[in-house]
Amino acid sequence: MTRNAATRKDVTRNTGNVPPPRPLSLASVPDTASDTEGEHMNDTTRRSLGTGLAALLAVDGLVHLYWATGRTWPAPDAHALSLAVLGTAVSFAPPVVLPLAALTLTGAAAVLATTHRRGGPATRLVTGAVAAGLAVRGLAGLGWVAKVVDSPPGPFYALNLALYTPACLGFGWAAARLARAR
């Protein structure tokens, strides 16, 4: 007698009847990735993803604050910095970079709050907006990499390929998971 037969015999003995077997279908298999109520995420994963993402956003915000002082590290001047970071000549003056610093630091705070289950729907919404923003930047980066969008000469193409696009896609995915998590 197989183990299943022994188990069914025990069930029959205990309850008096054997439940009919359920048909297997893909609809009966739980799919946490498409769960409309959110993804189940253990606390270690939540903390790892959230802390890493919040740290990235905080560093980005602090670098923008640094640039608001007029310094251009790691580039020799503002023009070279703009070409390396954005691929085009754009001002790095305080009126331009301070709002970006505020935006990324606010995103970092919201992500950290979401990581620690604080702030409710508002911080999850901001975390979702962070995911959307990173995804858009990552997809645009793929356009530059695939040469669908013109990429200017200079360091931007290499930095976009090696750093900007992978970071945006990876951290965008992390933000989306975190925003959906219960």
Side-chain angles (χ1 to χ4, degrees), residues 72 77-93 96-97 100:
T72 60
D77 57 48
H79 183 74
L81 178 65
S82 180
L83 291 178
V85 173
L86 300 171
T88 188
V90 176
S91 171
F92 271 68
V96 176
V97 294
L100 294 171

Side-chain angles (χ1 to χ4, degrees), residues 53 56 127-136 138 165-179:
L53 178 57
L56 172 82
T127 301
V130 166
L134 289 169
V136 167
T165 297
C168 287
L169 292 174
F171 282 102
W173 169 82
R177 282 195 67 196
L178 190 60

Side-chain angles (χ1 to χ4, degrees), residues 96-169:
V96 176
V97 294
L98 285 176
L100 294 171
L103 188 67
T104 56
L105 292 171
T106 301
V111 165
L112 202 54
T114 300
T115 299
H116 294 285
R117 301 179 194 266
R118 303 276 189 246
T123 59
R124 286 181 64 177
L125 183 65
V126 173
T127 301
V130 166
L134 289 169
V136 167
R137 172 54 185 89
L139 292 174
L142 290 176
W144 280 306
V145 168
K147 306 241 186 217
V148 174
V149 179
D150 285 338
S151 183
F156 177 77
Y157 181 81
L159 288 169
N160 179 60
L161 177 64
L163 179 64
Y164 305 150
T165 297
C168 287
L169 292 174

